[in-house]
Structure formats: C-alpha cells, structure tokens
Amino acid sequence: MTLDVGAHLRAVRQMYGLSQRELAKRAGVTNGLISLIEQNRVSPSISSLKRVLDGVPMALADFFTLDLAQKPQVFFPKAELPNIGAGRVALHLVGGSLAKRSMAILHEFYAPGADTGEEMLTHDGEEGGVVVRGRIELSVGGETRSLSAGDGYYFRSNLPHRFRNVSREECEIVSASAPPTF
Amino acid sequence: MTLDVGAHLRAVRQMYGLSQRELAKRAGVTNGLISLIEQNRVSPSISSLKRVLDGVPMALADFFTLDLAQKPQVFFPKAELPNIGAGRVALHLVGGSLAKRSMAILHEFYAPGADTGEEMLTHDGEEGGVVVRGRIELSVGGETRSLSAGDGYYFRSNLPHRFRNVSREECEIVSASAPPTF
DNA sequence: GGATAGCGTTTAATATATTAGACACCATGA
DNA sequence: TCATGGTGTCTAATATATTAAACGCTATCC
C-alpha cells in the first residue's frame, strides 16, 4: 500500500551494513542517486533499481514482497510454534508455512565456543531449525538473539548470518536448508 | 534471471484482455509509453510501472514474483498431487505449499448447468480446491480447463475466474479461500 | 588546532523516460 | 471505394532520472 521505496531501500541497505558509497560502488551507480532515491526525491527506473539491488544482492521480487510481508518473521519462540499434527502425533511447524521445494534436514552439534567462522555466511535459498539442547547465539541481518532449547529460527540465506555457541555446553540443533545446498 | 519487463507486461496485459489504449486510459498514462515499455525501448520508473499495474490491477510484488515462478501452476492433475501424509494416513497436498494465513474450507455443490454468473469473479486472496464428484469447467486468466473427480486447482483470486457445470450430473468440490472472504 | 577520512546531502549538467500527436495497418460496413 | 474505428508503432518536445562534483557534518589521530 505504502510503496515507500526510499525508506525501504534504506532499511535494506542498513540491514546489510552498507554505506551509500559502498552500495553505489558495488551497484555501479553514484552515491548521490542512492541518496535521492532514499529521500523519495526521484522514482528510480526499473533498470537502476535492479542494478542497485544487484549490489546487495537482492532480487526485485524479494524487494517488493518484503513490502507486503511487512516484517518477515525471523525468530519463533517456543511458545509460538504452531502444532500442525493430528491424533497422537504433535507436529510443531517452524516458519509458519511449508517450503515450496524439497529441503535438507540437518542435525547439528556445536562444541562450546564453536561458531561458523569470523565472516558472515551468505548463500541462496532459505534455512530454519530448532535448538534441541544447549544454547546458541544467532545473528541474522544485523539482529542477534540467544536461542535455547525449544526455540526456532527461519530466514532467507542471503541475509548475512552466523552461529556461535558462547556457552560451556554442547549445543544441538535440527535444521533444514532449501534448496539442499549449504 | 531474464527480467524481460516488456514481454512480461505484454503477457499480463493480454492475460486480462486489455488493449494498450485501454490499459493506458485506466492507468493514466499514454498508449505510446506502454508500447515503448513492451518493446523494452525504455526502462520505466517505479512510479510509472506502479501506475500501469494499478490499471490492471496488479501489485508490483505480484508482477515480479510472477517473473521468478515462470509459470505459476494453476492446474494440478490428480496424478501430480503430492502425498504429505505419514503412516496409514495419505494427505494429498494441493498447491504445492501450505498457505501462510488461515483459510476457509468450502464444500461446494454445483447443480447441472449451474455457474458462478456471467461476469468473471475478481477479488483479493488465493483459492484452491479439489473436485470430489462430477465435472466442472474452470476458467482462470483466459485459460479454460475441464476438471473431473480427483483433479485440483489453485490460483490468485485477482485473476478473473469462473466456474461452470456443463454436465448433466451434480458436481461436488472441496475448496479453500485465503483470507476467508469470497 | 589542523588534517584526514568517513558519512549523507545538494546542485548544475546531462542522459533518459514520458507525452502528445501523427503514422501505417487491418478489419468492418455503407 | 471510401469511411470509420480498432490495433501497435514511431518521432519531436518536454519532464524527469542520473551523473559528477561539490558541500557540511562528525569522528579520529597527530
């Protein structure tokens, strides 16, 4: 409804921790243009907006669908996991919806102090999971949360992300990636 | 990948049975502009493309997501319905994915010759269903198919659509609408 | 204090999108 | 045959997006 392209681009850019000049350099446009777009003083052409988003990188479709689904939920507290099971089987659905494509389910174990590396991970697809045992610190798109047993997560893998076990206990996670490459 | 805005706009426009001048009139732009856009001789500004799509009407997000999911599957033959059940329960999933929001499930009965009216239906949300008994003729976005018992359907409700029972038997359908308004 | 380097903003010049109106084409009907 | 009304396309004039380079600001460091 709003179509506030400017504010939206600014939010996306800051979410990825980029300055106007950094993004402009990656996208092959000038920093001034990004400034004007973010102030809604111009309405960028499709080709320009595409070039800008390629610098993030982010698809045009994602940019606009992000407008509709105001805040794509990333963290799912234990109490909010819906049960889609039937009869004597309880199925707690993480992510609010089934993925369109096949997924790769992972059972992960993080030793005390272990993490996924210094630099943030960024790749195509989506991923989500549940903490089974222990405690994990998860950073996604600039936001960091500490998750404990029963908590879940779900996000698009092109958001910079990182897992860190800052506790003294091993952490166990069941996760899923789609498509099954990670 | 392609980002063929021109060809895509043309397909959308023709899908709704509009001429360049008709669409231009509704959108408040000139027919020449639509011609140039469809030939990819200009890259429209976001504001212009939004005005054009408002004339359809179609949201920007839908326009671009339609680019990715090359052909949003509308018809799901019986043999292609995936079974997501477990154990002795067979759950054939229609639409390839669960809806993000709650749905309204409908059990519909069409008497011989009955239909949903002369003019096409158009409203927000999504809808899908399964033919339980009999035969129904379904038109969606200019495409018409005859569905019989076991076949399914799923489409965005802003595509013009219409149900017609052209047989001599009653037709029974189980359908779902999201959000639960129809 | 002065220099450097980062940030986002602004402005005049330039490139491009958009308009208004004409054009060519293909039907249908008097 | 000559209108009439419908397509989609093209071109000169105009509005707007985009660039390049400057500006003001806030840190940090010597």
Side-chain angles (χ1 to χ4, degrees), chain A residues 99 164 166:
Chain A
R164 295 209 308 163
V166 295

Side-chain angles (χ1 to χ4, degrees), chain B residues 5-21:
Chain B
V5 174
H8 194 57
L9 175 59
R10 174 158 295 177
V12 168
R13 176 175 62 81
Q14 292 175 341
M15 194 177 213
Y16 283 81
L18 299 173
S19 69
Q20 290 183 344
R21 280 179 170 80

Side-chain angles (χ1 to χ4, degrees), chain A residues 4-171:
Chain A
D4 190 346
V5 174
H8 194 59
L9 175 59
R10 174 158 296 179
V12 168
R13 176 174 62 81
Q14 292 175 341
M15 194 177 216
Y16 283 81
L18 299 173
S19 69
Q20 290 183 344
R21 280 180 169 81
E22 277 183 88
L23 178 55
K25 185 180 176 185
R26 298 191 189 188
V29 299
T30 59
N31 60 309
L33 175 59
I34 292 180
S35 176
L36 294 173
I37 293 174
E38 290 186 351
Q39 298 171 84
N40 284 322
R41 292 176 53 177
V42 296
S43 179
S45 67
I46 298 293
S47 57
S48 293
L49 183 59
K50 173 163 181 16
R51 270 191 295 170
V52 170
L53 292 179
D54 283 347
V56 172
M58 170 176 280
L60 278 168
D62 291 340
F63 183 80
F64 287 107
T65 52
L66 217 72
D67 262 333
L68 295 183
Q70 291 300 33
K71 290 165 191 169
Q73 193 175 357
V74 172
F75 302 98
F76 295 84
K78 183 176 184 175
E80 294 178 15
L81 293 183
N83 185 352
I84 63 165
R88 283 173 288 185
V89 181
L91 301 174
H92 297 278
L93 179 61
V94 178
S97 142
L98 288 185
K100 300 166 194 166
R101 308 285 171 187
S102 58
M103 307 184 90
I105 307 294
L106 300 176
H107 195 178
E108 307 179 0
F109 296 88
Y110 285 84
D115 67 357
T116 52
E118 262 311 305
E119 47 265 316
M120 302 297 239
L121 299 175
T122 298
H123 48 92
D124 286 330
E126 305 178 4
E127 60 185 286
V130 174
V131 176
V132 176
R133 183 167 44 84
R135 188 172 267 276
I136 198 86
E137 184 187 277
L138 170 57
S139 300
V140 178
E143 198 175 354
T144 299
R145 284 278 256 289
S146 180
L147 304 178
S148 53
D151 290 335
Y153 62 90
Y154 195 94
F155 56 87
R156 303 194 171 219
S157 305
N158 54 1
L159 287 174
H161 54 281
R162 183 189 190 193
F163 292 84
R164 295 209 308 163
N165 182 359
V166 295
S167 73
R168 282 189 297 259
E169 296 178 334
E170 184 183 58
C171 181

Side-chain angles (χ1 to χ4, degrees), chain A residues 168-180:
Chain A
R168 282 189 297 259
E169 296 178 334
E170 184 183 58
C171 181
E172 184 179 353
I173 298 179
V174 176
S175 73
S177 301

